[in-house]
Amino acid sequence: MNEQEIPIDIHLNKLLDWLISRRICPHDWQKNIITVRKNINNAIQDMPAVDEIANLLAGTYINYFHCRRIVEILKETESSSKNIFGQYSSQRMKDWLEIIKLYEKDNIYLAEAAQLLVRNIVYELPSLKKQIVKCKNIQEESIQKEADYVKREKSMRENYLASCQQIGIEGKNIKKELLSFLDELPGFLNAVASSAKDLTSIQNFYESFLNFTLKKDMHSDCLPLLKHVIEKGNTTTFEWRTGEPPEVVEGTTPVIPLDVDCASTEAADDQIDFGDLVANSESGDDRSSSSPNGDFVHVDREECKPENGDQIDFGDSDINWDISVETSGTNDIPPVFEEGEGGKVARGADALSVLENETTRNSFYCDLLEVFSIFYL
């Protein structure tokens, strides 16, 4: 076997030192590589539009082997510039051939390749291994999370269907199905009002208890709304407020749209017309631009002085804030109702029943809590 073909075991960290100690590469090879890097930076400014060359130049560091591959590609793209002597007249080819010669001079490319080999094995490969392990762990965690999410999805779907079944809907169109309960609401409230009549004896007992305890007649102040519902049922708020039933009730029945999920396409057309603001500004009405407060304009006292030198007397006395109010004026206002074509008209909140109106319904609930509180004494 030829001596040159005998393999030699060289420690990885000592590879570059071995090349320098055997005089295969000069010890100052890093100074010579600076010239090579400058030539590479100048040569890459003018390159043909080839995808493979673009991929090679996309790397962060172009080494000797990249340059060899670029020369092989340029032999095909610059073949038209080859003369009869086999030389290339293309400046691109000349630049890269010069770079190859500088690399091969004093075996600089071997020193650079040894340095890259040591760097990749000592630093890059362990880093890549750590990233691979980390990615595998993330992948396993993601698979586990996906399985957990599938279980949670199934559990939440079952809970959702159970909740829908509990309130009596299918759950396909929640908004529409809940709005459909509005048709059942009046009947339910009337049933509550009818059931309230069973509390007559309890209400009378509680009223007698208050009369005996407080030593005064509590007939008018004791559970007014509960007493009203027991005596007259679920009447309108107008009748509860005025004591007289309305002759005309202008109620607004909520209408369920055919498709409550679809937004109206004509909503964009229902916009406020602010008028021709440009025309107003051109006509000389520039109050908004002259004053930051719109119609309010700041006037200085110096501007209010008359021409003859006299001054306006603004007064020196302070404002007297000690104003006494005898009554607020709201307690003596009688119930207001409108006289329509048919007589007394209830509209708006007055047209709602006492159990539909939120204010009176809360009062009714408070009366129930009050009357049942006697059993917890």
Side-chain angles (χ1 to χ4, degrees):
M1 181 181 293
N2 190 0
E3 293 182 357
Q4 295 181 354
E5 297 179 357
I6 298 175
I8 301 175
D9 293 335
I10 303 173
H11 195 275
L12 178 64
N13 294 331
K14 302 295 183 179
L15 178 59
L16 183 58
D17 296 337
W18 185 87
L19 292 174
I20 296 175
S21 63
R22 297 300 185 274
R23 299 182 183 276
I24 299 175
C25 300
H27 65 279
D28 58 347
W29 66 272
Q30 292 182 347
K31 295 181 180 180
N32 299 330
I33 202 68
I34 296 176
T35 305
V36 178
R37 305 311 305 176
K38 290 181 179 179
N39 292 344
I40 291 176
N41 293 333
N42 295 331
I44 62 177
Q45 303 300 324
D46 182 21
M47 296 298 294
V50 180
D51 295 338
E52 186 175 357
I53 292 180
N55 295 332
L56 292 174
L57 298 179
T60 57
Y61 189 85
I62 301 175
N63 54 39
Y64 169 76
F65 303 99
H66 292 155
C67 297
R68 290 292 299 269
R69 181 55 188 165
I70 291 174
V71 170
E72 295 295 331
I73 297 173
L74 290 178
K75 287 181 180 180
E76 299 177 0
T77 59
E78 307 294 329
S79 59
S80 60
S81 63
K82 189 175 182 180
N83 54 27
I84 58 176
F85 299 103
Q87 297 179 351
Y88 292 90
S89 60
S90 173
Q91 186 63 34
R92 296 173 181 172
M93 180 63 75
K94 291 180 180 179
D95 293 340
W96 287 102
L97 290 176
E98 180 65 21
I99 292 172
I100 295 295
K101 291 180 181 179
L102 292 176
Y103 257 127
E104 294 177 350
K105 183 180 180 181
D106 296 332
N107 296 322
I108 295 177
Y109 73 97
L110 291 178
E112 184 186 46
Q115 187 183 48
L116 292 175
L117 180 63
V118 173
R119 183 185 303 171
N120 290 334
I121 294 177
V122 175
Y123 300 104
E124 299 296 335
L125 289 180
S127 177
L128 292 176
K129 288 182 179 179
K130 291 181 180 179
Q131 291 183 4
I132 292 174
V133 173
K134 184 178 180 180
C135 292
K136 287 184 177 179
N137 294 335
I138 294 175
Q139 182 181 11
E140 294 176 358
E141 292 177 359
S142 301
I143 295 174
Q144 183 64 30
K145 287 182 179 180
E146 182 181 4
D148 294 340
Y149 290 154
V150 171
K151 293 180 181 179
R152 291 180 59 185
E153 178 189 5
K154 184 178 180 181
S155 176
M156 294 179 68
R157 183 177 296 276
E158 293 176 355
N159 294 336
Y160 169 75
L161 295 177
S163 300
C164 292
Q165 186 177 4
Q166 183 178 1
I167 61 179
I169 62 176
E170 296 181 1
K172 296 180 180 179
N173 192 335
I174 299 177
K175 188 174 182 180
K176 186 175 182 180
E177 293 173 2
L178 291 178
L179 288 176
S180 64
F181 285 163
L182 293 177
D183 298 335
E184 304 175 5
L185 183 60
F188 176 76
L189 296 178
N190 292 331
V192 172
S194 300
S195 301
K197 296 180 180 180
D198 298 336
L199 303 176
T200 304
S201 58
I202 300 177
Q203 184 264 333
N204 293 333
F205 175 77
Y206 181 70
E207 183 178 346
S208 301
F209 172 77
L210 291 181
N211 293 335
F212 175 78
T213 305
L214 301 178
K215 305 300 182 181
K216 63 178 182 179
D217 187 11
M218 298 294 295
H219 179 74
S220 59
D221 298 332
C222 177
L223 309 175
L225 199 49
L226 177 60
K227 188 184 301 182
H228 175 81
V229 173
I230 292 175
E231 294 176 356
K232 299 183 179 181
N234 188 23
T235 63
T236 60
T237 307
F238 181 90
E239 183 175 353
W240 151 253
R241 188 169 59 84
T242 62
E244 299 179 3
E247 298 180 3
V248 179
V249 178
E250 295 183 356
T252 56
T253 304
V255 179
I256 302 176
L258 296 178
D259 190 359
V260 294
D261 292 335
C262 296
S264 176
T265 57
E266 300 177 358
D269 298 335
D270 299 335
Q271 297 181 359
I272 300 175
D273 185 9
F274 292 98
D276 192 359
L277 299 179
V278 179
N280 293 335
S281 61
E282 293 178 355
S283 62
D285 187 6
D286 56 350
R287 290 178 296 177
S288 60
S289 60
S290 61
S291 173
N293 296 326
D295 295 338
F296 297 95
V297 181
H298 176 72
V299 179
D300 195 0
R301 284 193 176 189
E302 298 297 333
E303 299 177 0
C304 299
K305 292 182 179 181
E307 296 179 357
N308 55 5
D310 297 336
Q311 297 183 357
I312 300 175
D313 185 9
F314 291 96
D316 297 331
S317 60
D318 296 334
I319 299 175
N320 184 13
W321 297 100
D322 298 333
I323 301 175
S324 61
V325 180
E326 298 295 337
T327 177
S328 61
T330 58
N331 296 330
D332 299 333
I333 297 178
V336 179
F337 52 87
E338 298 184 7
E339 295 288 344
E341 296 179 356
K344 301 178 181 65
V345 180
R347 58 169 55 93
D350 286 345
L352 299 175
S353 64
V354 290
L355 296 183
E356 287 179 337
N357 194 332
E358 182 179 3
T359 303
T360 54
R361 183 174 65 249
N362 292 337
S363 300
F364 177 76
Y365 180 69
C366 292
D367 289 350
L368 291 178
L369 294 179
E370 182 180 354
V371 74
F372 281 106
S373 63
I374 191 174
F375 297 103
Y376 298 98
L377 296 177

